[in-house]
Amino acid sequence: MWSKICLFASVSPACVMMGSMAYSGIDLSAFGADALVSEPTVVACTLENGEASQCAQIVVKYKPDNLGIGPFCPATVDDAGGIWDWDGEEAGLYRLDGEFFYMLADQGYDFTDGDGHVHMIDNATVRPTVDHACIAVEASEGAEMTILLPMTPVMAENATALRTVNKVGLALDGVPIFSDAPSVAVTGHLPALDTCGGHVDPGGWYHWHATSTDIDDVYRAHGVDAHCGEVEQQASAQFGYAFDGFAMFGSQEMDGATPTGLDECDGHIGVTPNAPDGEYHYHTTLDFPNLPTCLSGVQAQNNFTTTASAGVGAAAEFRDVGPGAPDQHRGLPPGFDKAAIELGVSEDALMQAINAAGGPQLDFSKAAEMLNVSEDALRGALPPPPQR
């Protein structure tokens, strides 16, 4: 019995034949009980390619009961808060402290008042009154999320790129996982992460933007003075499952070796605790965010919903709460919804084109070509960048 497994290269997928490849599927017992609203179940679902399938349905709380979160934004430049992956001049991973905020001020992004206090907002409830503020959303204990993960993963014909604030997966501790947070250069504001790589969505629920079980290795690799004290660090451990159903592991193999033969999504076929004969799975890297850069498999339709009234998965995902304040976890700055309508393209297509064409230093010609619109039309539709 032979299974066709597609390993994605940088240009196009290359398919190889693997003999009797076993897939362990979703282990429902692996998810932390203190995050679950109810016992996980298996339900009928439809994959995004239209195939009928069976999915694990997992309903989780706004955060696990025993997980401490924060700090996110420091109160003053004399304090140390969480972390941020800065993408402007002197790009890199930083601790949120005075040195970092002074560097941003030198580049025209002043997050403090004259007395050294950091401007902070809860952009789910408060309109910003300054050009640049550190975002710290208050958690909402009533928020619940329902996640669907394919029980039997299916390789896609083409990998799905993970850009700004795309769904990545669900951690074994029951915390949802998302890709990179929006750029300060795009939104003007900073949705601070704590030292374990997570923060609170405008809907009030906590989620990861990093592989928290292996984030200390990232800090060591980049010389960042930070430590994730809330989550046990183990580079060879499974962190969670991606939304395509494949398992996600840290930066090491079971024996402590560095993974080899990784594809463009940082996945490969190898031995795991649940598949001694080998299975496809993802590994983190020592970059940040230390997550897969794309998903190789097919996701389920409607695989993330929430009872929250705002944020990702809510019935109305986008809330414009004031100038320069995006829904931080849809990655859509104010005015971009109107620009998409004016251009006759989807909001996702607009954001993907902007990210692919250079983000804040936008190559208008390239983005316009991707969207099949004129460069003049794109320039006229987009709102002005945030003030510096």
Side-chain angles (χ1 to χ4, degrees), residues 72 84 122-124 135-137 163-168 176-183 187 189-194 197-209 304 310-314 317-319 325-333 348 351:
F72 304 107
W84 188 250
D122 178 342
N123 74 326
I135 297 172
V137 179
R163 305 184 189 279
T164 304
V165 199
N166 289 159
K167 296 174 292 185
V168 178
I177 311 164
F178 288 83
S179 58
D180 208 1
S183 167
T187 68
H189 301 290
L190 192 158
L193 305 175
D194 62 21
H199 60 185
V200 180
D201 182 85
W205 42 272
Y206 183 80
H207 58 280
W208 301 126
H209 280 283
F304 186 90
V312 175
E317 286 192 11
F318 180 70
R319 296 187 357 164
D327 177 334
Q328 69 194 57
H329 298 325
R330 192 172 177 191
L332 193 67
D348 286 342
M351 289 307 300

Side-chain angles (χ1 to χ4, degrees), residues 14-349:
C15 296
V16 297
M17 303 300 289
M18 302 300 297
S20 300
M21 182 56 59
Y23 289 101
S24 57
I26 307 296
D27 179 3
L28 299 183
S29 67
F31 294 98
D34 64 349
L36 300 177
V37 174
S38 56
E39 287 295 319
T41 59
V42 177
V43 299
C45 61
T46 302
L47 302 184
E48 289 186 341
N49 63 5
E51 293 182 12
S53 186
Q54 296 286 306
C55 285
Q57 179 175 274
I58 304 151
V59 184
V60 296
K61 306 172 186 178
Y62 79 105
K63 77 171 187 66
D65 294 335
N66 66 347
L67 180 66
I69 62 175
F72 304 107
C73 304
T76 74
V77 293
D78 296 324
D79 304 316
I83 59 165
W84 188 250
D85 188 28
W86 173 244
D87 58 351
E89 297 176 26
E90 301 183 60
L93 185 63
Y94 289 89
R95 191 73 188 269
L96 296 183
D97 56 17
E99 183 178 355
F100 174 74
F101 285 111
Y102 290 139
M103 180 190 74
L104 263 58
D106 289 341
Q107 297 183 35
Y109 298 93
D110 194 349
F111 282 80
T112 64
D113 63 16
D115 297 323
H117 294 92
V118 176
H119 298 304
M120 284 190 280
I121 60 168
D122 178 342
N123 74 326
T125 58
V126 177
R127 293 179 180 274
T129 58
V130 294
D131 293 330
H132 308 295
C134 191
I135 297 172
V137 179
E138 184 176 354
S140 175
E141 295 186 8
E144 297 178 2
M145 286 68 64
T146 300
I147 290 98
L148 296 178
L149 305 173
M151 288 295 294
T152 303
V154 175
M155 278 287 184
E157 291 185 4
N158 296 288
T160 300
L162 294 173
R163 305 184 189 279
T164 304
V165 199
N166 289 159
K167 296 174 292 185
V168 178
L170 180 67
L172 297 185
D173 61 7
V175 176
I177 311 164
F178 288 83
S179 58
D180 208 1
S183 167
V184 174
V186 173
T187 68
H189 301 290
L190 192 158
L193 305 175
D194 62 21
T195 55
C196 291
H199 60 185
V200 180
D201 182 85
W205 42 272
Y206 183 80
H207 58 280
W208 301 126
H209 280 283
T211 301
S212 61
T213 52
D214 196 18
I215 197 169
D216 278 6
D217 282 335
V218 176
Y219 296 146
R220 283 189 285 270
H222 292 266
V224 177
D225 183 15
H227 167 61
C228 173
E230 290 292 330
V231 180
E232 181 181 355
Q233 299 296 292
Q234 187 176 350
S236 62
Q238 182 178 349
F239 176 52
Y241 289 98
F243 269 106
D244 58 11
F246 290 116
M248 302 167 57
F249 288 81
S251 60
Q252 297 178 4
E253 300 283 16
M254 292 171 55
D255 60 2
T258 300
T260 58
L262 297 178
D263 60 25
E264 66 169 342
C265 298
D266 294 324
H268 70 168
I269 295 171
V271 174
T272 69
N274 293 325
D277 293 329
E279 65 176 349
Y280 185 85
H281 59 279
Y282 300 103
H283 281 280
T284 184
T285 68
L286 296 182
D287 293 325
F288 190 91
N290 57 344
L291 295 168
T293 55
C294 53
L295 294 185
S296 300
V298 182
Q299 301 178 52
Q301 296 178 9
N302 302 315
N303 58 4
F304 186 90
T305 57
T306 176
T307 61
S309 60
V312 175
E317 286 192 11
F318 180 70
R319 296 187 357 164
D320 184 355
V321 297
D327 177 334
Q328 69 194 57
H329 298 325
R330 192 172 177 191
L332 193 67
F336 277 54
D337 54 339
K338 297 176 183 177
I341 294 172
E342 182 177 338
L343 294 167
V345 300
S346 70
E347 294 168 2
D348 286 342

